[in-house]
Amino acid sequence: VQLQASGGGLVQAGDSLRLSCEASGRALSRSYMGWFRQPPGKDREFVGRIAWIGGSTYLIDPLKGRFTISRDNAKNTLYLQMNNLKPEDTAVYYCAADCMDWDKARCDYWGQGTLVTVSS
């Protein structure tokens, strides 16, 4: 399985960005894909996940109301819509699949990461 993340960039506080993650290769063995982020100098942290079948989502509480996870099954693509961005959202964002432990970022497949920089 290959995951290709894209959509990062330099934005100002209050702006929006949509990250994409296209999956290719064999079918994923587990039914969820998700996003993590790693701020400068900090550990990688879980952002949220979505069920590939059914589309149920989970986002960590601090991001609810600003971030949304969605997917397009036909395109094998995962999205992270980020609104009202804040400087503390600055991080490298990673998509992941086949995760045994989301809290500990134990996943079999990772995208290459896409950098989001939010200026104040």
Side-chain angles (χ1 to χ4, degrees):
V1 175
Q2 291 80 43
L3 303 178
Q4 182 70 38
S6 61
L10 173 62
V11 298
Q12 294 185 332
D15 286 350
S16 297
L17 271 179
R18 189 178 77 160
L19 306 182
S20 301
C21 176
E22 183 176 0
S24 60
R26 66 166 181 83
L28 299 170
S29 62
R30 292 181 174 80
S31 59
Y32 290 86
M33 287 185 66
W35 292 97
F36 293 78
R37 68 182 184 181
Q38 187 165 14
K42 297 184 178 180
D43 293 335
R44 192 169 300 188
E45 61 184 20
F46 173 57
V47 171
R49 63 177 178 262
I50 186 167
W52 211 246
I53 305 299
S56 62
T57 60
Y58 174 82
L59 272 171
I60 59 172
D61 286 344
L63 300 180
K64 290 179 179 177
R66 294 195 300 121
F67 287 20
T68 304
I69 293 178
S70 62
R71 88 274 187 255
D72 185 328
N73 294 50
K75 295 181 179 180
N76 286 328
T77 301
L78 171 72
Y79 301 102
L80 181 66
Q81 177 67 43
M82 306 183 293
N83 298 327
N84 190 21
L85 283 161
K86 303 177 180 181
E88 52 264 41
D89 295 318
T90 295
V92 177
Y93 285 73
Y94 298 90
C95 55
D98 282 12
C99 297
M100 294 71 72
D101 189 329
W102 292 92
D103 290 334
K104 296 180 180 178
R106 289 180 57 206
C107 304
D108 285 341
Y109 302 104
W110 291 93
Q112 83 282 12
T114 184
L115 176 62
V116 173
T117 304
V118 184
S119 63
S120 58

